[in-house]
Structures are given as structure tokens and as C-alpha cells.
Amino acid sequence: MSYDFPFFMHEELGEIFQAHEKVTFQKGDFILEEGKTANEYYILEKGLARSFVNDFNGNEVTTHFFAENEIIIEVLSLFQRIPSQENIMCITDCECWKLDYNTFQDLFHKIPNLREWGRSWMSQQLFAYKQRSVEMFTLSATKRYLNLLEQKNKVIQLAPLKQIASYLGVTDTSLSRIRKELVSHSKKI
């Protein structure tokens, strides 16, 4: 559950849940486009989405995958109220729970435990992004692939090879080689 925080009271969670609106997206739909300002965040109930940027050569580079029960958000755009540099797109059909910015702000100021949850969630995200950043330089591509397989198996199952490769910082050819080597190695065991 996205609002996993031990200090929420039942009534607080009820009010938070009621503020969300169920929305669906089709495979290929943009949840947020570069240049637009985010006005909501989503809890992904079902499906898979990704965020990506276009590099200086115009190539798509996947920056994050959003799996079930995760929050789909572009933090900088939403909270700084500036246009997004990233795109967020559905890899599969997605079912989400949307919370708009103004409602979140109202609840954030009304429910102290939501503020504490927000601080906790944001620090976890900061840690995860920092760890990923360091691992891009300190781990082999094979180890990064195995970590993704362990942490977000749905990505390996559902995302196109090109998107996974760009997320891992390797070419499609390198990722194909890594996958073949891992299959070959597992058959020998």
C-alpha cells in the first residue's frame, strides 16, 4: 500500500482514500508530457508505466519504471509548479488513483500524519535515487540487470528491451548478450 505509515489513524486514511479519483489509461497514453506542469500524482493499482527524457541526440532514455502500488509522480514539476522535463507514459493499460495538487495541499495541512508520511516517503525516494545513481557507476550492467529483475520483475516481463536497456545505461545489443549469458549460465547450474 502506498500510504504505508504506522501512525495513520483509520479516519485519516479514510479521508485520504476518499480524496482520490479512479482513472484509467491505455497502453501508450501519456500521464505527463514534457513541458507541461504536473497537477496531480497517481497511485498505480494495476499496470506498468515509465518516465523518460529525450537526450541531446533525441533518443528516449528511461529514467524510472513505476510498478503496481507505487506512486507515479514527477516531484519537481508537481511541488515546484514548473514544467516537467520528463515524460511519463503507460507501458501497459493502467488503473490508477489520482490525487490532485490542491486536494493534496489541503490534506497535507489538515492531517499532520500525512506530512510525516510525506517526509518519510520523500526521504526513501531520495535514498533510492541516490543509490541508483551510484550503482550506475559502481555495478556492472549484469548486476544492474539482476537488481532490476529482483526489485521489479514486472519490468523485465512487460517493458520493451529498448526501454530496459536505456534504463540500465546499455545498448539493446549489450542487454541481449547479458540476458543470453544469464540463461546459458543458469542452464549449467
Side-chain angles (χ1 to χ4, degrees), residues 9-171:
M9 292 186 286
H10 183 71
E11 308 80 43
E12 292 171 334
L13 281 174
E15 187 171 358
I16 293 166
F17 291 154
Q18 281 187 331
H20 289 73
E21 174 189 348
K22 180 88 175 224
V23 293
T24 58
F25 296 97
Q26 301 296 309
K27 176 182 178 177
D29 284 353
F30 280 91
I31 294 174
L32 179 65
E33 291 183 70
E34 177 184 2
K36 295 186 178 175
T37 301
N39 289 308
E40 58 271 321
Y41 69 82
Y42 302 84
I43 297 171
L44 182 57
E45 183 175 6
K46 188 175 181 183
L48 185 68
R50 73 176 178 122
S51 57
F52 67 94
V53 296
N54 293 299
D55 70 10
F56 55 88
N57 288 322
N59 300 309
E60 290 183 5
V61 178
T62 300
T63 55
H64 191 73
F65 287 105
F66 301 95
E68 292 174 0
N69 297 315
E70 291 184 342
I71 295 176
I72 298 175
I73 190 169
E74 208 284 83
V75 173
L76 193 60
S77 178
L78 183 65
F79 294 116
Q80 296 295 312
R81 311 305 303 142
I82 59 173
S84 176
Q85 293 183 297
E86 293 184 273
N87 297 285
I88 301 176
M89 179 183 265
C90 297
I91 295 173
T92 66
D93 291 349
C94 293
E95 294 177 12
C96 303
W97 292 95
K98 177 175 84 170
L99 185 63
D100 71 73
Y101 176 77
N102 291 328
T103 303
F104 174 78
Q105 288 297 311
D106 291 344
L107 291 171
F108 190 76
H109 294 292
K110 181 180 178 184
I111 303 173
N113 280 329
L114 185 59
R115 289 194 297 275
E116 292 306 312
W117 167 83
R119 276 192 269 279
S120 174
W121 181 86
M122 192 65 82
S123 65
Q124 289 171 356
Q125 297 304 305
L126 181 60
F127 174 77
Y129 277 105
K130 178 66 174 177
Q131 186 172 351
R132 173 168 151 64
S133 175
V134 169
E135 287 176 354
M136 288 296 287
F137 297 102
T138 60
L139 297 181
S140 69
T142 301
K143 181 62 177 153
R144 292 194 307 269
Y145 177 80
L146 289 170
N147 284 351
L148 182 61
L149 181 63
E150 182 182 316
Q151 296 163 5
K152 293 189 181 184
N153 192 310
K154 287 273 189 201
V155 170
I156 304 301
Q157 294 172 11
L158 301 172
L161 183 75
K162 185 176 187 85
Q163 294 172 5
I164 297 169
S166 73
Y167 178 75
L168 296 173
V170 299
T171 64

